[in-house]
């Protein structure tokens, strides 16, 4: 939910990540709140940031392209 997303975004922001919430609505008109961080011009740059995040935080994450459905 939105509250959980805001909480997760605040945690990432405090750790120095450029975190933001991406909100979307699915086919059943349900709201989805996804926490993302960073803006990368290449997949390679995103992959480096992903690897660094996973090594440092020991958490799973994925690379998701913005604006793609």
């Amino acid at each position: 939910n939105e509250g959980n997303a805001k909480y997760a975004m605040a945690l990432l922001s405090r750790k120095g990540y450029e975190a933001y919430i991406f909100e979307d609505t699915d086919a059943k008109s349900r709201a989805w709140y996804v926490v993302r961080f960073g803006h990368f011009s290449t997949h390679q740059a995103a992959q480096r940031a992903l690897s660094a995040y996973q090594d440092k935080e020991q958490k799973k994450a994925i690379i998701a392209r913005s604006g793609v459905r």
Side-chain angles (χ1 to χ4, degrees):
N1 69 25
E2 186 177 12
N4 290 342
K6 287 180 177 180
Y7 179 76
M9 183 184 74
L11 287 176
L12 286 170
S13 294
R14 280 197 298 267
K15 291 183 176 192
Y17 296 98
E18 185 184 338
Y20 62 98
I21 296 173
F22 175 81
E23 181 181 349
D24 201 3
T25 306
D26 68 13
K28 294 182 180 181
S29 297
R30 295 177 296 192
W32 289 83
Y33 302 93
V34 180
V35 179
R36 295 180 170 184
F37 67 86
H39 298 277
F40 308 98
S41 58
T42 66
H43 183 78
Q44 184 180 23
Q47 185 62 53
R48 283 193 303 270
L50 173 65
S51 294
Y53 172 80
Q54 289 175 326
D55 288 346
K56 181 178 180 184
E57 305 298 335
Q58 298 296 299
K59 304 231 183 233
K60 292 182 182 180
I62 61 167
I63 295 172
R65 292 178 62 189
S66 294
V68 176
R69 291 187 174 232

